[in-house]
Amino acid sequence: MALFSKQNREVLGKPLNLDNPIMVQVLGICSALAVTSQLKPSIVMGLAVTVITAFSNVIISLIRNTIPVRIRIIVQLVVVAALVTIVSQVLKAYSYDVSVQLSVYVGLIITNCILMGRLEAFAMMNKPWPSFLDGIGNGLGYAMILVTVGFFREFLGRGSLLGFQIIPDSFYQAGYINNGMMTMPAMALILVGCVIWVHRAFFYKEEENK
């Protein structure tokens, strides 16, 4: 099917690995550091960015030929702001505790460089379906790193995942202590750096073997 042609599969799949917005393009680092102290807000933030990126890409792609060049950034910001407002209200209605944890960072999705970059570099020059796939791919690529970092920070820093205690009490009674450093933003930076290092080491090793 044309909808899932090789080109469209590459558009969807590349941001998950070879062109990942965080690991390769080193974009969206600020929010990756700010919301990954626990796994749940990491998942929610990743899904929010994925939804907003996908649908803003589609909307901009649909109206790209009618947008005056001079005000294209303003139009993009208006579209993104509207979607961010909708997502923010949904979070407050159905997951208020996570909304409070994410604080201002949901609103700051409006200026997320991954999102704005995809609108300018892809949606403005491609049809709606490839633009949708590009938004999904980049959103999931971003979410994948957030979830990975959030997993290790909550597990090692709090001994829990999604709020449920994973490390048994017997470990603590035997002297195990949670790594408090994992709850600090500095450790998020170190973990993101480690993820980038492992990815690039593996990727360049593969390239050399070709």
Side-chain angles (χ1 to χ4, degrees), residues 12 53-55 57-58 122 127-137:
L12 177 64
T53 306
F55 284 99
N57 264 16
V58 171
F122 198 92
K127 294 180 178 180
W129 178 245
S131 297
F132 178 75
L133 294 178
D134 179 78
I136 292 290

Side-chain angles (χ1 to χ4, degrees), residues 163-181:
F164 298 100
Q165 184 175 335
I166 301 299
I167 299 177
D169 290 332
S170 57
F171 277 53
Y172 293 105
Q173 293 168 4
Y176 177 82
I177 301 175
N178 291 328
N179 186 345
M181 283 288 291

Side-chain angles (χ1 to χ4, degrees), residues 7-21 23-25 134 137-138 141 144 199:
Q7 184 178 359
N8 285 341
R9 290 198 301 270
E10 286 182 356
V11 168
L12 177 64
K14 270 192 173 183
L16 299 177
N17 184 19
L18 301 180
D19 199 23
N20 186 277
M23 291 189 294
V24 178
Q25 301 176 45
D134 179 78
N138 278 276
M144 181 174 66
H199 175 266

Side-chain angles (χ1 to χ4, degrees), residues 9-82:
R9 290 198 301 270
E10 286 182 356
V11 168
L12 177 64
K14 270 192 173 183
L16 299 177
N17 184 19
L18 301 180
D19 199 23
N20 186 277
I22 292 181
M23 291 189 294
V24 178
Q25 301 176 45
V26 196
L27 300 174
I29 295 292
C30 295
S31 54
L33 305 183
V35 303
T36 55
S37 60
Q38 295 183 55
L39 183 57
K40 189 174 181 180
S42 301
I43 294 172
V44 173
M45 185 67 169
L47 290 176
V49 170
T50 301
V51 169
I52 293 169
T53 306
F55 284 99
S56 61
N57 264 16
V58 171
I59 294 170
I60 293 299
S61 177
L62 286 170
I63 64 174
R64 70 187 189 281
N65 294 325
T66 64
I67 302 174
V69 176
R70 291 182 183 180
I71 63 169
R72 69 186 189 283
I73 301 298
I74 297 174
V75 173
Q76 292 169 13
L77 286 172
V78 169
V79 170
V80 174

